[in-house]
Amino acid sequence: MKKIVDLISEDVKQAFASKGYEEKYGFVTLSNRPDLCQFQCNGALQAAKAYKKAPIIIAQEIADILKENARYKEITAIAPGFINITLSDEFLAGYLNGMRKEKDFGCEKEPNPMKIIIDYGGPNIAKPLHVGHMRSAVIGESLKRIFRFMGNEVIGDVHLGDWGTQMGLVIAELKRRKPDLVYFDDNYTGEYPDEAPFTLSELEEIYPAASAYSKENPEFREEAKKITYLMQNGHRGYMALWKHMQDVSVTDLKRIYERLNVSFELWKKESDAQPYIPDMVKYLKENGYARISDGALVVDVKEETDTKEIPPCMILKSDGATLYNTTDLATIVERMELFNPDQIIYITDKRQDLYFETIFRCARKTKLVNENTKLKFIGFGTMNGKDGKPFKTRDGGVLRLEYLIDMVTDEVYRKIMENRTMDEEEARKVAEKVGLAALKYGDLSNQISKDYIFDVDRFTSFEGNTGPYILYTIVRIKSILEKFKETGKTVNPGLEILEAQSDTERDLMLQITKFSDTIQGAYEEMAPHRICQYIYELSDKFSSFYHETKIISDEYDEKRQASLILLITLVQGILLTCIDLLGFTAPDRM
């Protein structure tokens, strides 16, 4: 189903062509003065230069043609050359009836569907998720849903960090505390225990303790490096501990991601890319892509057109050790071999922009990816506290993600219980859904690259541009539809949405028509905030319409009441679709 703005553009382009002008001047946009008209065309201003004619004359010629079209209620040429366009109520209602009957409300899908891998996790095992992990998870999940909605095959990968020095530090600290564990006995040849020798809480305490201890004790730091090397080369005991760390960590990670309504198709790890490294290094050497620099193996990625310094991409350190560069390039090799994607998208802190620029250039220059495979980095801004600095705990530490979820959920629960409209058990369940909406909407309503202030009071407000306000609108519509059902009435299948009878109804209908354009824009620009803005405006226009219109009223005839019920059902369906794309759901009541 064509977007409404495209249908109008077709009419205007034909009008330009019929008067001997190029069609391109008939491009139509939403009006920037909605108090004057619904849509506008500024093409006469550009055409005037090409055809050496006063723009108002061209605009008037086009307006005279369009006035004959039943789609339009009013067409006006305004000096110096604007064409203001207002749709007829009949056409507007007809378009909504078309949306109502089409799958996904008539949203046009990707004409050339792609296979896309999105890397949007990145937590390290043996460490808890903290607030820094939230944005990549929330943004990645929403983009995955948007891409999939548009018809693509999308694979989300958590890409766990499980192979670096932190593993050696944890094992070294465990060895310092419990030296008698069987894992540290090099003469042991039996089976290792199935149960880990540590709990999740112990594991989460061990890493920061080990990290701090290593800074004060160089011999311990060297021991950790040695353990890392041995583990990466197959030491039985260390590999068994590493496996325990994975099992304990992943179980907890899945639990917290589930609370965030975030899921991954792949639970791949850094270690999965290790088998690809030797052949990759050999390939880079044999094909002349890599060179030795101060003992290290590097690939030059600087280009003549660069205006900033771009360092070489280091593949191996001078001692032969691998780096994140090595692992990330090997992961690309793995993804190409296993999935052959059309696009790989990485979502992480925007401060890693130069790093990914280097990795992508290296992958392209060395032909580790197909010529047509797109590599995309999406860098997000920082979630800050009210002081404008990265969000911290009161004592200055990094807040665990689970505690952040609890903080928002508890505040929503408190507000629900203030009204005492439901019992405590139901309030807790509702607070989980509303709290998640508050958290996700508060994040996604900002442009991805922008920093934003985390304000629990504002995010959990049931009024304004917030997740709870969107959910409240959905719940209100559910309540109206339930009341209509209780009257015993039904909507006959042949009935449709009728022409608007008020300005608020017309405004609501016009906002509905922007659905496809919004989703298309969010998809092309990788911008979930566009969906947030759309559903906020849709909810706002519904609120105005609701306060002015008695939807459940005996004064209406069957057709008028059916029209209103079909209209608000359409609003509800679109809102539910949009919040699903943002990654949260609505309760039955609030």
Side-chain angles (χ1 to χ4, degrees):
M1 186 175 176
K2 289 186 178 178
K3 297 192 288 288
I4 198 165
V5 71
D6 290 343
L7 290 173
I8 302 167
S9 288
E10 286 177 1
D11 287 344
V12 180
K13 286 176 180 178
Q14 287 176 13
F16 269 92
S18 70
K19 285 295 182 178
Y21 306 115
E22 286 189 70
E23 278 191 0
K24 66 179 182 180
Y25 296 114
F27 183 72
V28 172
T29 61
L30 283 167
S31 173
N32 56 20
R33 287 289 306 275
D35 54 318
L36 298 178
C37 61
Q38 297 167 345
F39 299 89
Q40 67 187 58
C41 173
N42 303 337
L45 298 169
Q46 287 81 41
K49 298 174 184 176
Y51 293 92
K52 296 180 172 54
K53 206 171 188 179
I56 189 61
I57 293 175
I58 298 175
Q60 191 61 58
E61 288 177 330
I62 305 305
D64 289 342
I65 293 173
L66 294 173
K67 284 175 183 176
E68 304 301 316
N69 191 322
R71 283 181 175 174
Y72 306 108
K73 179 179 181 179
E74 187 175 2
I75 302 288
T76 313
I78 303 293
F82 301 112
I83 302 170
N84 289 354
I85 302 167
T86 299
L87 302 176
S88 72
D89 289 332
E90 182 182 5
F91 173 62
L92 186 56
Y95 190 85
L96 261 60
N97 284 310
M99 286 182 67
R100 192 169 58 83
K101 296 167 186 174
E102 290 277 347
K103 185 179 184 297
D104 294 330
F105 311 107
C107 184
E108 291 182 301
K109 301 305 176 81
E110 169 61 56
N112 301 300
M114 297 174 285
K115 181 186 287 185
I116 302 169
I117 293 176
I118 307 183
D119 185 324
Y120 63 100
N124 293 315
I125 68 168
K127 294 183 187 179
L129 289 172
H130 57 75
V131 292
H133 293 110
M134 188 191 76
R135 294 213 72 190
S136 59
V138 167
I139 294 165
E141 182 69 19
S142 180
L143 289 177
K144 181 178 75 173
R145 291 170 181 236
I146 293 168
F147 286 133
R148 192 171 285 162
F149 182 80
M150 293 299 288
N152 302 288
E153 179 186 352
V154 193
I155 302 165
D157 186 2
V158 70
H159 194 64
L160 296 171
D162 72 329
W163 203 241
T165 309
Q166 78 266 21
M167 299 296 100
L169 282 168
V170 171
I171 295 172
E173 178 67 10
L174 194 64
K175 186 176 183 179
R176 193 167 71 92
R177 298 181 182 193
K178 302 178 180 182
D180 295 332
L181 286 175
V182 67
Y183 306 92
F184 304 123
D185 182 356
D186 290 336
N187 297 318
Y188 182 74
T189 58
E191 294 294 320
Y192 291 110
D194 292 332
E195 190 173 336
F198 41 73
T199 64
L200 177 68
S201 297
E202 288 172 336
L203 187 60
E204 291 175 351
E205 181 271 327
I206 286 173
Y207 176 74
S211 181
Y213 189 73
S214 72
K215 291 172 184 174
E216 303 295 328
N217 296 272
E219 69 284 356
F220 178 79
R221 188 163 59 248
E222 289 304 311
E223 170 74 0
K225 287 182 181 179
K226 180 182 176 183
I227 288 174
T228 303
Y229 175 81
L230 291 172
M231 182 199 80
Q232 292 179 350
N233 284 274
H235 185 286
R236 281 186 73 241
Y238 299 160
M239 287 291 285
L241 285 171
W242 169 71
K243 183 69 168 61
H244 283 316
M245 282 189 266
Q246 283 187 1
D247 293 341
V248 170
S249 295
V250 168
T251 298
D252 192 59
L253 288 172
K254 287 184 175 180
R255 180 182 63 82
I256 298 170
Y257 277 129
E258 187 176 349
R259 284 194 70 186
L260 265 185
N261 199 20
V262 168
S263 63
F264 300 93
E265 286 64 44
L266 295 177
W267 282 79
K268 285 284 190 178
K269 309 172 291 296
E270 276 184 278
S271 57
D272 291 324
Q274 300 307 308
Y276 295 87
I277 291 176
D279 285 346
M280 181 185 76
V281 171
K282 182 181 177 185
Y283 164 80
L284 296 177
K285 289 178 177 177
E286 289 181 351
N287 287 274
Y289 292 121
R291 66 178 177 85
I292 301 297
S293 173
D294 295 329
L297 187 70
V298 302
V299 174
D300 292 313
V301 295
K302 184 173 173 59
E303 297 172 358
E304 292 182 4
T305 54
D306 287 332
T307 55
K308 61 182 179 181
E309 188 60 35
I310 304 292
C313 183
M314 188 180 295
I315 308 300
L316 297 175
K317 294 180 182 178
S318 56
D319 61 1
T322 60
L323 309 89
Y324 282 122
N325 297 3
T326 326
T327 301
D328 281 329
L329 286 168
T331 299
I332 289 175
V333 172
E334 178 190 21
R335 287 170 174 166
M336 293 306 298
E337 184 170 311
L338 298 182
F339 304 103
N340 192 27
D342 300 295
Q343 190 167 7
I344 306 174
I345 299 171
Y346 296 80
I347 302 171
T348 186
D349 190 302
K350 65 183 178 184
R351 288 171 293 188
Q352 294 194 43
D353 184 32
L354 178 59
Y355 172 77
F356 279 101
E357 172 76 11
T358 304
I359 294 297
F360 293 169
R361 286 191 182 192
C362 185
R364 290 225 168 278
K365 179 176 180 178
T366 60
K367 298 181 172 58
L368 296 181
V369 292
N370 298 334
E371 188 177 339
N372 296 325
T373 301
K374 295 179 181 176
L375 299 172
K376 174 76 175 176
F377 168 69
I378 298 177
F380 54 77
T382 309
M383 184 179 83
N384 296 325
K386 290 182 180 180
D387 59 0
K389 297 176 182 178
F391 194 79
K392 300 280 187 182
T393 59
R394 288 181 179 176
D395 60 4
V398 179
L399 184 67
R400 288 179 58 162
L401 179 53
E402 188 166 24
Y403 296 162
L404 180 72
I405 298 171
D406 288 340
M407 180 195 305
V408 176
T409 303
D410 289 345
E411 179 60 20
V412 170
Y413 173 76
R414 186 188 67 77
K415 290 181 177 179
I416 291 174
M417 292 308 292
E418 276 182 354
N419 299 323
R420 282 285 175 182
T421 57
M422 58 183 73
D423 62 42
E424 290 187 17
E425 184 180 355
E426 184 183 5
R428 282 288 178 195
K429 291 177 181 178
V430 170
E432 280 285 338
K433 289 188 174 184
V434 179
L436 183 61
L439 192 61
K440 284 194 163 188
Y441 189 92
D443 187 293
L444 293 170
S445 58
N446 300 278
Q447 289 187 37
I448 290 174
S449 62
K450 302 289 186 184
D451 299 345
Y452 73 88
I453 302 295
F454 174 78
D455 185 338
V456 68
D457 295 326
R458 182 171 66 83
F459 282 16
T460 58
S461 173
F462 284 61
E463 298 177 352
N465 189 8
T466 68
Y469 174 66
I470 305 301
L471 295 191
Y472 185 72
T473 303
I474 294 170
V475 169
R476 174 176 271 169
I477 296 173
K478 283 184 179 181
S479 176
I480 297 169
L481 295 176
E482 280 297 320
K483 287 178 182 176
F484 177 73
K485 188 177 178 181
E486 288 168 6
T487 66
K489 297 178 183 179
T490 57
V491 175
N492 291 326
L495 297 179
E496 296 193 321
I497 297 172
L498 303 176
E499 297 172 25
Q501 294 190 6
S502 68
D503 287 342
T504 56
E505 187 175 359
R506 187 175 297 108
D507 289 344
L508 177 61
M509 293 169 79
L510 189 64
Q511 181 67 19
I512 291 170
T513 68
K514 300 173 187 175
F515 171 74
S516 290
D517 201 41
T518 297
I519 302 302
Q520 186 76 36
Y523 170 60
E524 292 176 353
E525 299 168 25
M526 301 186 189
H529 76 273
R530 291 195 54 166
I531 297 177
C532 294
Q533 186 60 34
Y534 170 76
I535 58 176
Y536 170 60
E537 291 174 4
L538 181 61
S539 298
D540 228 27
K541 292 188 184 326
F542 171 80
S543 181
S544 299
F545 164 73
Y546 168 80
H547 287 299
E548 191 181 281
T549 310
K550 293 180 179 178
I551 298 171
I552 308 295
S553 173
D554 293 332
E555 67 186 56
Y556 300 130
D557 61 26
E558 182 189 19
K559 288 185 177 179
R560 174 62 180 159
Q561 187 157 67
S563 173
L564 294 173
I565 294 300
L566 290 172
L567 179 62
I568 68 169
T569 301
L570 181 57
V571 173
Q572 182 193 47
I574 287 174
L575 286 174
L576 288 171
T577 297
C578 287
I579 67 169
D580 182 66
L581 295 178
L582 297 173
F584 54 91
T585 58
D588 291 325
R589 70 189 192 112
M590 286 170 67

